[in-house]
Amino acid sequence: MTFDAIIRNGRWFDGTGAPSAIRDLGLRDGRVVAVSQEPLDASGCPEVVDATGKWVIPGLVDIHTHYDVEVLEGPGLAESVRHGVTTLLLGSCSLSTIHVGGVDAGDLFGRVEAIPRQHVISAIDKHRTWSSAEEYVAALEALPLGPNLAAFIGHSDMRTATMGLDRATRKEVRPSRREQARMERMLNEALDAGFVGMSAQQLLFDKLDGDLCRSRTLPSTYAKWREMRGLRSILRRRRRALQAGPDASHPHTIVTQALGSIGLGGRPALRTSLLSAADIKAIPFVIHLMRPLARVVNRLGADFRWQHLPVPFEVYADGIDLVIFEEFGSGAAALHLQEKLARDELMRDPEYRKRFRKDYESKYGPRVWHRDFFDAEIVACPDATVIGKSFGQVGVERGGKHPVDAFLDLVLEHGTAIRWRTTISNHRPEVLRKLAADSGIQIGFSDAGAHLRNMAFYNFGLRLLKHVRDAERAGRPFMCVEHVVHRLTGELADWYRIDVGHLRVGDRADLVVIDPERLDATLEEYRECPVEQYGGLSRMVNRNDAAVPAVFIAGRRVVADGAPTPLLGHERTGSFLRAEQAATVPPVIAPSVEAEAEAAS
């Protein structure tokens, strides 16, 4: 037997949670064709990877991304792939690009996901050749995809295309029967095309960009029970997933979502993935209510999961440009203003500052940000004397100023040149350990592709593996490596019913070689990297290349020693994964002379 590639002598994990073992893996025609205890014959094999002392695991699955725009002009999606992600889901948080045009997509994605609006409009207008979900899938498959893709259809996408953005974001407007029927038809067509389900959003500090409806919340937040009932019944009947973000300002909606997952009277459970299980610094007790809720409803016949980011939720900001300010009135008022002069004038206004101080000091009720400027470190500023200090500390040093005034003064003086960070959740390692092992929680919520300047977690899987490995070495294990690999791969693929996540004979040859000795502190370091698809805008990234010697997708090496190979994004290795269907392997097509020259450059 000849092979296209052999992974030699690595510790192999099959993604099911079964015990690992030292094995050789043989890959051919995009599949795993041999898992051998004995050395495989490498005669004629063009690629042999020595994985001695390393882990060989299925490619990681990222269930929550916002790559819907970036994939059109950068289909390699290297920032995720280089960290071992070989499958990712598009269409999160009610946002997709199936039915809306460029301007509406720009308004939907620009502010809430911090993706530059003008680039959203340009990319959609340039590439949109589709008018249906099936045509969208065909358009994606015509690209040189790096990773595999699966997708939700976004409720805000359907609602905007059906009602128009203005009507879709008015409280008093309800969809007509014809409009309701059209949205239900859109959903059925997407599920026919293999989408894993629908995403919805009720979170009230997700705001629109643009001029027409600026600062209104996403269209999905205006949907009432009757509208959602029709869409949910389709998902329930067809056993597809609902990804939802509840209205955190009304906690009873979280309980309603969880109870709605229960199957009663012979009807199936509604697969529900809710955002998000987080150990929020501002309200630390709430996580201890979330976990029991999942256990209770699942015992009653639900199929309910929380989504969870398994690392500290550290956010960065340039000046006041950060989504957490959307959760209270004075912060949202500043972000509503697009022009710097108008925003600066507002921040100088004594009455505005009074409102901001009042909002800052209101520490009760549901919220995400802890509202503590003493817990906000300045990491870059033209004034070097403030770097390494908190805004609260700067206020003390400047004559006892209120922390809000110290913050606003520095933003007025330096604008977006002042950069700062804080951790808003997942700050307690002992709580993270419990969440990572909880069966009612899905590991995900990276937000990859969004929040270029402040928060996305491309290497969350590697950081969780490090956490597990470190605890094991310290003699305080909370989960074995086989279990955490399963949680990051096969468990997610099986729940969303996509044919990846395992590494057995006959499975797709999507795999990652990880050096456990290089799962070290570099995983937590940030760098700045320009994004070609967004005009060179700098994006915060993690670059710990030594931890990932190799990534294969469909049996072809797309990452070597942590860096993308010329193949990634130039030839198609990934596929669109249709729910409940066996995954196909893209054919290997010899590149044209022009493509070879582009890859070489």
Side-chain angles (χ1 to χ4, degrees):
M1 182 181 288
T2 58
F3 304 100
D4 298 328
I6 291 174
I7 315 299
R8 178 83 79 197
N9 202 40
R11 178 162 290 280
W12 160 70
F13 300 77
D14 71 0
T16 69
S20 58
I22 304 299
R23 294 289 186 268
D24 277 16
L25 272 65
L27 317 181
R28 189 175 67 241
D29 297 332
R31 298 279 175 182
V32 179
V33 295
V35 177
S36 175
Q37 190 171 353
E38 302 299 324
L40 294 174
D41 183 1
S43 299
C45 181
E47 180 107 53
V48 179
V49 176
D50 181 6
T52 302
K54 300 177 177 63
W55 298 341
V56 182
I57 72 172
L60 304 179
V61 179
D62 188 344
I63 61 174
H64 189 116
T65 81
H66 292 284
Y67 275 130
D68 307 71
V69 177
E70 187 174 337
V71 69
L72 299 176
E73 300 199 319
L77 302 178
E79 203 54 58
S80 287
V81 174
R82 70 191 304 148
H83 296 298
V85 175
T86 62
T87 297
L88 53 88
L89 273 61
L90 305 177
S92 298
C93 297
S94 85
L95 305 175
S96 61
T97 60
I98 316 305
H99 296 289
V100 293
V103 172
D104 283 343
D107 289 356
L108 291 170
F109 279 86
R111 183 166 164 185
V112 61
E113 302 304 341
I115 302 173
R117 178 175 180 268
Q118 69 273 23
H119 293 294
V120 177
I121 296 171
S122 173
I124 299 300
D125 286 346
K126 176 181 176 182
H127 292 277
R128 190 168 187 261
T129 58
W130 59 87
S131 59
S132 68
E134 190 64 54
E135 290 176 356
Y136 175 74
V137 173
L140 289 179
E141 292 239 278
L143 299 171
L145 295 178
N148 305 304
L149 305 178
F152 298 98
I153 187 168
H155 185 206
S156 287
D157 177 7
M158 297 189 296
R159 206 170 201 267
T160 299
T162 298
M163 302 173 64
L165 188 59
D166 181 46
R167 290 184 64 246
T169 53
R170 290 187 179 275
K171 292 182 179 180
E172 69 277 10
V173 177
R174 301 286 178 269
S176 67
R177 289 186 178 182
R178 179 175 293 181
E179 289 168 336
Q180 178 73 24
R182 186 183 180 206
M183 284 190 281
E184 292 176 8
R185 185 167 62 252
M186 287 174 169
L187 176 56
N188 269 312
E189 289 172 352
L191 302 184
D192 290 342
F195 282 48
V196 299
M198 183 187 82
S199 66
Q201 185 66 290
Q202 281 77 48
L203 192 62
L204 296 181
F205 64 78
D206 284 349
K207 305 290 180 63
L208 294 176
D209 206 341
D211 298 315
L212 176 65
C213 304
R214 185 172 181 82
S215 295
R216 298 183 194 176
T217 55
L218 292 177
S220 184
T221 64
Y222 295 87
K224 298 302 181 184
W225 178 253
R226 179 180 176 183
E227 177 181 341
M228 290 302 299
R229 183 177 59 190
L231 299 170
R232 287 160 60 95
S233 66
I234 294 170
L235 295 169
R236 187 187 299 273
R237 183 175 68 253
R238 301 192 58 172
R239 291 176 168 81
R240 300 292 174 85
L242 171 66
Q243 181 208 80
D247 176 7
S249 64
H250 295 87
H252 71 275
T253 64
I254 298 173
V255 178
T256 301
Q257 291 272 20
L259 293 174
S261 177
I262 297 172
L264 295 173
R267 66 176 185 169
L270 172 62
R271 289 173 172 250
T272 303
S273 180
L274 204 62
L275 311 180
S276 105
D279 181 21
I280 302 171
K281 191 180 287 188
I283 40 176
F285 67 88
V286 74
I287 193 61
H288 303 295
L289 303 177
M290 292 180 174
R291 294 174 62 211
L293 177 63
R295 286 196 295 269
V296 168
V297 296
N298 285 331
R299 286 172 186 161
L300 294 174
D303 194 354
F304 177 86
R305 301 291 186 276
W306 292 102
Q307 286 190 16
H308 167 63
L309 178 70
V311 302
F313 205 120
E314 185 177 45
V315 296
Y316 281 68
D318 298 320
I320 200 170
D321 290 329
L322 187 62
V323 68
I324 60 175
F325 290 115
E326 301 274 22
E327 72 177 358
F328 56 90
S330 56
L335 295 179
H336 173 76
L337 300 173
Q338 302 181 65
E339 297 297 328
K340 182 180 184 302
L341 289 176
R343 188 180 286 187
D344 286 355
E345 182 179 356
L346 178 69
M347 290 190 290
R348 289 190 184 96
D349 180 22
E351 285 302 313
Y352 172 76
R353 290 188 171 219
K354 182 178 178 180
R355 282 195 293 133
F356 200 127
R357 288 193 296 268
K358 182 178 179 180
D359 288 337
Y360 172 86
E361 290 166 359
S362 175
K363 303 295 176 70
Y364 300 101
R367 61 198 184 282
V368 173
W369 179 36
H370 46 71
R371 302 184 194 177
D372 182 1
F373 275 132
F374 282 92
D375 186 5
E377 180 189 5
I378 300 166
V379 297
C381 185
D383 179 0
T385 65
V386 302
I387 296 175
K389 299 176 181 178
S390 71
F391 291 107
Q393 184 180 353
V394 171
V396 171
E397 293 176 356
R398 295 186 175 184
K401 282 188 175 181
H402 192 282
V404 165
D405 292 304
F407 170 72
L408 294 175
D409 286 348
L410 285 169
V411 172
L412 280 168
E413 185 176 356
H414 303 292
T416 56
I418 186 164
R419 189 155 175 77
W420 55 280
R421 67 182 176 192
T422 187
T423 299
I424 60 175
S425 66
N426 299 342
H427 53 294
R428 296 182 290 184
E430 67 278 9
V431 176
L432 280 181
R433 287 192 285 269
K434 293 177 181 177
L435 297 177
D438 193 316
S439 62
I441 286 172
Q442 291 180 337
I443 306 298
F445 200 49
S446 77
D447 257 356
H451 306 291
L452 276 67
R453 297 295 300 138
N454 47 57
M455 56 179 181
F457 300 88
Y458 299 90
N459 72 344
F460 71 93
L462 299 179
R463 291 175 70 175
L464 179 57
L465 287 167
K466 175 184 183 296
H467 193 183
V468 169
R469 194 279 318 268
D470 288 351
E472 188 176 79
R473 289 185 174 181
R476 297 189 298 273
F478 63 95
M479 190 177 1
C480 67
V481 178
E482 287 85 352
H483 187 193
V484 72
V485 168
H486 171 61
R487 300 221 68 202
L488 291 165
T489 59
E491 178 183 297
L492 298 172
D494 292 346
W495 197 84
Y496 288 98
R497 300 187 174 186
I498 49 178
D499 186 21
V500 288
H502 301 97
L503 198 58
R504 306 157 300 193
V505 171
D507 288 328
R508 276 182 59 102
D510 301 334
L511 62 88
V512 186
V513 179
I514 293 174
D515 186 347
E517 299 303 319
R518 303 308 293 267
L519 296 176
D520 54 29
T522 60
L523 293 171
E524 300 170 13
E525 295 176 359
Y526 291 102
R527 301 185 190 179
E528 300 276 348
C529 180
V531 184
E532 180 182 350
Q533 294 77 30
Y534 297 139
L537 179 69
S538 185
R539 168 161 59 191
M540 286 185 61
V541 299
N542 304 104
R543 290 288 171 83
N544 42 285
D545 296 344
V548 185
V551 178
F552 284 75
I553 299 177
R556 307 179 75 191
R557 192 169 186 175
V558 294
V559 171
D561 298 320
T565 68
L567 182 68
L568 186 62
H570 293 92
E571 297 181 42
R572 187 160 75 92
T573 52
S575 300
F576 185 88
L577 304 176
R578 297 175 187 258
E580 302 182 62
Q581 294 185 26
T584 57
V585 176
V588 177
I589 301 173
S592 65
V593 173
E594 293 81 2
E596 287 182 327
E598 184 181 353
S601 65

